[in-house]
């Protein structure tokens, strides 16, 4: 696991070498707010249901940025390993200095592997995710045989997450903790445009763990988006507020 940890640091460290694109690109600086709920609900020792909704707003909370609904089936393969496959419905809206022409829907199939590890007070998580994206073609000519209604894209993501308890030596009930993550998005296959690097996310937050099934987090996300034209990009300073609430249906 130590080798995996250091390899992870190298992977997301390399992502920052792409930040020299900022000097060349037309970068829009914007301010957003993401207000989110996540839940992983056990229905048996081996299986569970993932539920998630993200209410993403531009200009902190004033206007729509994106609506994201996601659910999936969890398989608890081992004490420190979970595999999930699911579906997501995403609606994106015009926002900011580089808006899309009009609102667009996306249907997304996704698969992920989560590995957890612990070293002293440090709680690590590695998340590997692949996505098959069906994005509404807003430029399609109605009733045209030459234009597809949806554009297909592939994407891979890796997230390194770290949580550190601050008011106790362990992540136990009623504990204040610090959270950090770094996530890299890479497009692959046909049609990804000029940039293989799609997004980079850097997150810092404080959280409160009520118990093993419930915690809240309030933090800052530096969200960098590289547009497919290879010229434009966004640096989004984003407030994140999240509730994590799990229900164990095995009880009672």
């Amino acid at each position: 696991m130590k080798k995996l940890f250091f390899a992870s640091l190298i992977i997301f460290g390399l992502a920052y070498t792409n930040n020299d694109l900022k000097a060349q690109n037309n970068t829009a600086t914007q301010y957003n707010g993401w207000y989110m709920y996540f839940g992983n609900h056990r229905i048996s020792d081996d299986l569970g249901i993932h539920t998630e909704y993200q209410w993403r707003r531009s200009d902190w909370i004033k206007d729509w940025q994106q609506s994201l609904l996601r659910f999936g089936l969890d398989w608890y393969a081992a004490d420190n390993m979970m595999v999930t496959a699911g579906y997501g419905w995403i609606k994106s809206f015009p926002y900011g200095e580089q808006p899309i022409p009009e609102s667009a829907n996306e249907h997304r199939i996704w698969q992920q592997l989560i590995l957890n590890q612990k070293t002293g007070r440090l709680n690590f998580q590695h998340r590997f995710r692949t996505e098959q994206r069906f994005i509404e073609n807003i430029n399609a000519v109605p009733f045209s045989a030459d234009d597809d209604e949806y554009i297909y894209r592939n994407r891979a993501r890796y997230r390194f997450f770290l949580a550190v308890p601050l008011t106790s030596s362990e992540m136990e009930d009623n504990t204040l903790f610090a959270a950090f993550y770094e996530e890299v998005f890479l497009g692959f296959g046909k049609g990804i445009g000029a940039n293989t690097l799609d997004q980079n996310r850097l997150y810092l937050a404080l959280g409160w763990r009520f118990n093993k099934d419930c915690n809240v987090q309030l933090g800052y996300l530096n969200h960098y988006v590289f547009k497919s034209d290879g010229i434009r990009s966004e640096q989004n300073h984003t407030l994140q507020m999240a509730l994590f609430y799990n229900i164990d249906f095995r009880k009672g």
Side-chain angles (χ1 to χ4, degrees), residues 3-248:
K3 291 182 179 180
L4 179 60
F5 167 65
F6 288 115
S8 304
L9 291 178
I10 292 171
I11 290 171
F12 72 69
L14 288 173
Y16 277 115
T17 64
N18 290 275
N19 280 354
D20 59 0
L21 291 171
K22 290 189 290 185
Q24 307 171 26
N25 289 0
N26 177 13
T27 303
T29 300
Q30 298 161 152
Y31 300 89
N32 302 317
W34 292 3
Y35 310 95
M36 306 174 292
Y37 158 77
F38 302 89
N40 292 95
H41 315 296
R42 297 288 288 266
I43 57 177
S44 72
D45 291 342
D46 297 327
L47 298 176
I49 299 172
H50 175 88
T51 57
E52 174 183 345
Y53 182 72
Q54 300 190 32
W55 190 53
R56 297 178 175 179
R57 307 289 290 179
S58 68
D59 197 11
W60 299 121
I61 199 170
K62 182 180 177 182
D63 301 308
W64 272 107
Q65 182 193 26
Q66 199 172 61
S67 173
L68 188 151
L69 176 67
R70 187 156 37 209
F71 61 88
L73 181 65
D74 298 325
W75 173 43
Y76 294 84
D79 289 342
N80 68 336
M81 181 187 301
M82 183 171 68
V83 178
T84 305
Y87 164 79
W89 172 69
I90 299 93
K91 188 175 182 67
S92 299
F93 298 85
Y95 73 94
E97 298 177 23
Q98 301 170 354
I100 58 177
E102 58 184 86
S103 301
N105 292 291
E106 178 182 341
H107 302 282
R108 186 181 300 175
I109 309 299
W110 56 280
Q111 308 82 33
Q112 73 180 21
L113 168 67
I114 289 178
L115 300 174
N116 295 298
Q117 65 180 123
K118 185 177 183 299
T119 303
R121 297 168 63 97
L122 306 180
N123 299 269
F124 303 107
Q125 185 185 90
H126 307 272
R127 188 179 77 182
F128 305 86
R129 179 180 289 179
T130 55
E131 299 173 333
Q132 299 81 52
R133 309 172 64 201
F134 299 85
I135 305 166
E136 185 177 6
N137 184 3
I138 55 179
N139 296 314
V141 177
F143 309 111
S144 171
D146 297 326
D147 291 338
D148 294 326
E149 185 179 359
Y150 285 88
I151 301 169
Y152 177 73
R153 296 289 183 268
N154 289 295
R155 189 164 66 186
R157 300 166 55 170
Y158 167 72
R159 188 188 74 178
F160 171 78
F161 176 85
L162 171 66
V164 184
L166 300 177
T167 55
S168 63
S169 59
E170 300 284 341
M171 287 290 285
E172 56 190 18
D173 294 355
N174 300 315
T175 297
L176 180 70
F177 63 92
F180 161 88
Y181 76 68
E182 163 71 21
E183 185 169 18
V184 179
F185 294 59
L186 299 174
F188 66 94
K190 294 182 179 180
I192 61 171
N195 286 327
T196 300
L197 180 61
D198 181 74
Q199 296 183 34
N200 190 78
R201 298 180 182 180
L202 177 65
Y203 171 75
L204 295 169
L206 286 175
W208 180 262
R209 170 176 157 148
F210 295 97
N211 54 56
K212 69 179 183 65
D213 292 322
C214 184
N215 74 82
V216 293
Q217 294 180 26
L218 175 64
Y220 163 75
L221 175 70
N222 189 307
H223 180 209
Y224 220 95
V225 180
F226 300 89
K227 301 298 179 70
S228 61
D229 58 16
I231 300 172
R232 299 172 302 149
S233 60
E234 297 178 9
Q235 185 174 29
N236 294 308
H237 301 286
T238 303
L239 171 69
Q240 284 202 172
M241 299 176 63
L243 167 66
F244 298 79
Y245 184 69
N246 306 320
I247 301 173
D248 193 339

